[in-house]
Amino acid sequence: MNPSPLPLIAWRHPRPMGAQGRCIGRTDLAVDRRKTKRLAHRIRQAARRHGWPRTVYSSPLQRCAAVGRQLRRWGWQHHIDASLLEMDFGTWDGLTWPQITHTEVDAWCRNFAHHAPGGGESLHAMLERVAQCLTRLTASAPDSPVLIVAHAGWILSARWVTHHASAPVQPDQWPPAPLYGECCVVPVESIQYRPV
């Protein structure tokens, strides 16, 4: 019998510059270098304390990849993985929330799982992508936890697919985002999500 995979340890990236009041998915915003270094230092300390591998995966967007690059300067392996990207909000991406019409937001809320906001990626598609990524990453390192730096939407999706068999139907079912720099443990013993 194969042992259960170890958990995935995910940190949300530091607060990016210029995100306040905007719909930010794939918009590539920079992060203050001090905040980047501070989070990288916290990840390095946690890895030393727990005996975790000195390998980290990140989204290619600056707000995640900069943390991985800092760890690489300290001798870590850093792998950029596009499947760790934030949700694609299409034409909404980078706009301020008042620039997005109520009609468009209402259309998403009415079909929360399957509507693609801004013509980008539906929540259903995001959950499928995250479930496949979790399966692949944990299979590649069965004897140690996988460490990643990712986005709030990705982390919430990872938590969702390990506890739920289907996508949320209403927006109020979606959990609140982790704080910037927060460490989240995702138990991946069993991915529950079964897309239909």
Side-chain angles (χ1 to χ4, degrees), residues 79-155:
H79 303 284
I80 289 181
D81 189 329
S83 64
L84 295 172
L85 279 164
E86 181 58 285
M87 187 170 179
D88 180 359
F89 287 101
T91 59
W92 294 12
D93 217 306
L95 297 179
T96 63
W97 286 105
Q99 290 175 305
I100 302 166
T101 68
H102 289 291
T103 305
E104 291 179 276
V105 174
D106 288 346
W108 186 23
C109 291
R110 280 193 306 275
N111 188 8
F112 189 57
H114 296 283
H115 182 79
E121 182 178 33
S122 70
L123 180 57
H124 170 71
M126 171 98 178
L127 293 169
E128 280 189 308
R129 171 167 59 89
V130 170
Q132 291 169 3
C133 178
L134 282 172
T135 300
R136 178 176 47 79
L137 287 178
T138 54
S140 70
D143 300 323
S144 61
V146 175
L147 311 182
I148 69 166
V149 180
H151 307 274
W154 195 96
I155 294 168

Side-chain angles (χ1 to χ4, degrees), residues 4 13 24 37 44 53 82 93-94 96 122 129 139 148 159 174 178:
S4 296
H13 59 76
I24 301 296
K37 194 169 184 177
R44 182 173 65 168
D93 217 306
T96 63
S122 70
R129 171 167 59 89
I148 69 166
R159 286 178 164 176
W174 195 240

Side-chain angles (χ1 to χ4, degrees), residues 38-61:
R38 195 174 305 134
L39 179 55
H41 180 65
R42 285 182 38 229
I43 294 170
R44 182 173 65 168
Q45 282 184 316
R48 283 179 181 160
R49 186 169 51 251
H50 298 291
W52 293 337
R54 291 166 36 105
T55 300
V56 67
Y57 294 81
S58 80
S59 156
L61 298 178

